[in-house]
Amino acid sequence: KANMVLVFVIEVALFSGAYGAEIYLQYFDRISVVQKKRNLPALISNLESLLASPEKFYPIPLIRPDIVPPAQGIRHSIFTLDGNEILPLAGISNVPTVFCAEARDSFLTYNSDRYGFNNHDSVWDLATIDVAALGDSFTHGTCVEPNEHMVGIIRNKLPVTLNLGRLGTGPLSQLAILREYLAPKKPKSVIWFLEESNDIWGDLHDELKIAILRKYLDPGYSQDLSSKQPQVDGLLKDVYADKIESEVL
């Protein structure tokens, strides 16, 4: 059995006026620095160069926009395969992927692995995984250089680390990712990053309205996504290939 570690990022409210004022000033000073660093003409130029590249770049596909509006409180995936509803849980495989550009003059990109996650593909060929990470954007590595985000720092110490973090996911989607991709690898340790207000009170509440995600509460349920990656790639490319600019800006 893998060692499971749940890491909660706790938000602590400070009621002291002095400390509150200091945090307020530091926060807005940081915001002003971010705004100064964000060079929109440079970003537009960088995006144009990506689109003109011989390599085909794709944006990060989010799970939540792939859900049709709720009918009687229940939501469904827009995707079907062989007449059955299917919900992709990761991105397009083995493609240059446009990530984000927060406080940068260029878009952060990475090459997705065979299942669309932010890893070197070769990690899947290894017999033993030392550490696997689950979580949302923080785990995925949003807007942070590969060696500087949380999982990148772990990987610097433990190279055989598998990152299954996905931007925009909550605990139920992450349980689904664990079932579909991680369980067969049987890693030595799993670190599951959770943030109380966003993941527990926000994302989980919404995910419980998605019919296909609720099925993962049954321990025996799986979409068998790892064997359907070519079909998943086709579904995602049909939706996102013509929306690169709107997705990444």
Side-chain angles (χ1 to χ4, degrees):
K1 294 183 179 179
N3 297 313
M4 177 72 78
V5 178
L6 297 180
V7 178
F8 283 87
V9 180
I10 307 296
E11 292 184 347
V12 179
L14 298 178
F15 295 98
S16 166
Y19 284 112
E22 181 179 353
I23 291 170
Y24 176 91
L25 292 173
Q26 290 181 353
Y27 174 77
F28 281 97
D29 181 63
R30 178 181 176 276
I31 291 298
S32 66
V33 171
V34 168
Q35 291 172 339
K36 290 174 184 176
K37 288 184 178 179
R38 191 175 178 87
N39 186 332
L40 290 180
L43 285 174
I44 293 171
S45 175
N46 176 244
L47 177 61
E48 290 174 345
S49 68
L50 289 175
L51 297 179
S53 169
E55 294 183 287
K56 185 71 172 178
F57 279 84
Y58 288 91
I60 292 291
L62 297 177
I63 291 176
R64 205 154 283 119
D66 301 337
I67 302 296
V68 297
Q72 298 181 339
I74 303 301
R75 302 178 184 180
H76 294 274
S77 172
I78 64 171
F79 298 115
T80 59
L81 183 63
D82 298 328
N84 298 312
E85 181 181 3
I86 186 172
L87 179 63
L89 296 171
I92 301 168
S93 67
N94 297 313
V95 295
T97 304
V98 178
F99 210 164
C100 57
E102 182 179 314
R104 297 166 54 91
D105 290 342
S106 62
F107 284 93
L108 188 67
T109 64
Y110 66 87
N111 290 319
S112 60
D113 66 20
R114 67 189 64 179
Y115 299 122
F117 293 99
N118 187 5
N119 295 289
H120 293 296
D121 187 67
S122 59
V123 70
W124 291 100
D125 296 324
L126 300 176
T128 302
I129 301 296
D130 291 330
V131 177
L134 292 165
D136 59 9
S137 57
F138 289 104
T139 310
H140 194 162
T142 303
C143 297
V144 182
E145 296 293 340
N147 293 328
E148 297 176 359
H149 61 72
M150 293 190 302
V151 180
I153 293 171
I154 295 171
R155 187 180 283 129
N156 291 339
K157 299 292 185 181
L158 298 168
V160 188
T161 294
L162 183 64
N163 187 354
L164 297 183
R166 289 300 300 171
L167 176 71
T169 61
L172 195 51
S173 297
Q174 292 154 18
L175 172 64
I177 289 170
L178 186 154
R179 180 88 46 78
E180 298 287 348
Y181 301 102
L182 185 56
K185 297 301 294 183
K186 295 180 170 58
K188 294 179 181 178
S189 298
V190 177
I191 304 176
W192 195 335
F193 294 94
L194 296 169
E195 196 275 322
E196 56 169 347
S197 63
N198 177 53
D199 294 326
I200 305 301
W201 305 115
D203 292 336
L204 182 59
H205 176 268
D206 293 337
E207 288 176 335
L208 287 170
K209 299 176 183 177
I210 300 172
I212 197 167
L213 283 181
R214 285 214 312 264
K215 293 181 180 180
Y216 282 95
L217 297 174
D218 176 356
Y221 178 75
S222 171
Q223 297 183 80
D224 195 23
L225 291 177
S226 62
S227 69
K228 300 173 182 175
Q229 192 62 44
Q231 297 94 317
V232 170
D233 284 348
L235 293 171
L236 292 174
K237 286 179 180 179
D238 287 344
V239 171
Y240 290 101
D242 62 343
K243 297 182 179 181
I244 293 176
E245 184 171 353
S246 63
E247 288 290 334
V248 298
L249 280 178

